[in-house]
Amino acid sequence: RLTAISSPLESVKKSLYTLNCVPLLIKLLRVTEVPLNTQELALALLSKLVVLPYCREVVISKGGIPLIVSLLQHHPDESALVFCGLSCIGYLSHGSACVRCVLCVDYSVCSTLSELNAFPLMISLCVNYVKLVDKGIVMQVLGIVSNILCASKEKTKNGGACL
C-alpha cells in the first residue's frame, strides 16, 4: 500500500530496504517501456527511501543518478517527477555521516552530476518549477547547488580535506 511506503516510520523504510525494493525501483526507472506515471511513483518512493544512508548507497551503486537526471531531461514539464527527482538528487548529494563538516557533501555524487552536466539542468528545472508550483523545492535545490560549488572550492583549496 502506498500509505505504508510513504510512512515516516524508519522501520517501514528499513523493511522495504530489506525486501530489496530499492533495486527494483531503480529498474523501473531504467526500463523505457514502463509508463511515465509508474516511473513517477518509483521516483517518489525513492525520494522517501534515500534519506537512509544504506538506501542512498544502493541508489548510487545501481546507477540511479544518471537515470534520475535522464528522466528530468526528458520530462522537464512533469512537475511531480521534477519535484521527486530534485528531492532525490538533494538527498543523494548530502554526505552520509560527517559530524564536523559545515558543508557535508558526497563528492562522488557531485562528480557524477558534474559529468552528466546536471547543474544547468537542475537550475533550469528550478526556474520552471517555481513558475508551476512552489518556491520551497527551488530554494532547497539552489542551496544544494550552491553548497556543492562552495564545497568543491573548499576541497580544492584545502587539498581535498573536508572542513
Side-chain angles (χ1 to χ4, degrees), residues 94-159:
H94 283 35
S96 54
C98 186
V99 179
R100 299 178 25 240
C101 296
V102 174
L103 298 172
C104 195
V105 176
D106 187 323
Y107 289 102
S108 65
V109 172
C110 298
S111 295
T112 302
L113 290 170
S114 181
E115 289 167 10
L116 294 168
N117 200 24
F119 295 125
L121 170 68
M122 291 168 59
I123 292 169
S124 70
L125 288 173
C126 286
V127 170
N128 291 336
Y129 192 79
V130 76
K131 292 177 187 174
L132 296 173
V133 186
D134 74 66
K135 296 177 184 170
I137 188 70
V138 173
M139 297 305 292
Q140 178 185 0
V141 172
L142 292 177
I144 290 165
V145 171
S146 173
N147 285 347
I148 290 169
L149 294 174
C150 289
S152 297
K153 286 181 183 178
E154 287 298 320
K155 182 178 179 187
T156 304
K157 190 178 359 177
N158 294 323

Side-chain angles (χ1 to χ4, degrees), residues 7-53:
S7 169
L9 297 174
E10 189 169 330
S11 62
V12 173
K13 293 174 184 175
K14 281 183 181 179
S15 296
L16 290 170
Y17 171 79
T18 305
L19 293 170
N20 217 17
C21 288
V22 177
L24 178 62
L25 294 171
I26 296 292
K27 285 180 186 178
L28 287 172
L29 298 179
R30 182 172 284 122
V31 178
T32 56
E33 292 81 22
V34 173
L36 183 59
N37 62 346
T38 303
Q39 289 181 320
E40 283 180 11
L41 180 59
L43 197 52
L45 298 177
L46 274 178
S47 72
K48 300 290 185 188
L49 294 172
V50 294
V51 297
L52 301 173

Side-chain angles (χ1 to χ4, degrees), residues 66-88:
L67 293 172
I68 294 168
V69 170
S70 177
L71 277 173
L72 293 174
Q73 287 171 334
H74 290 96
H75 305 287
D77 296 328
E78 299 291 332
S79 59
L81 186 127
V82 168
F83 177 81
C84 294
L86 292 176
S87 295
C88 276

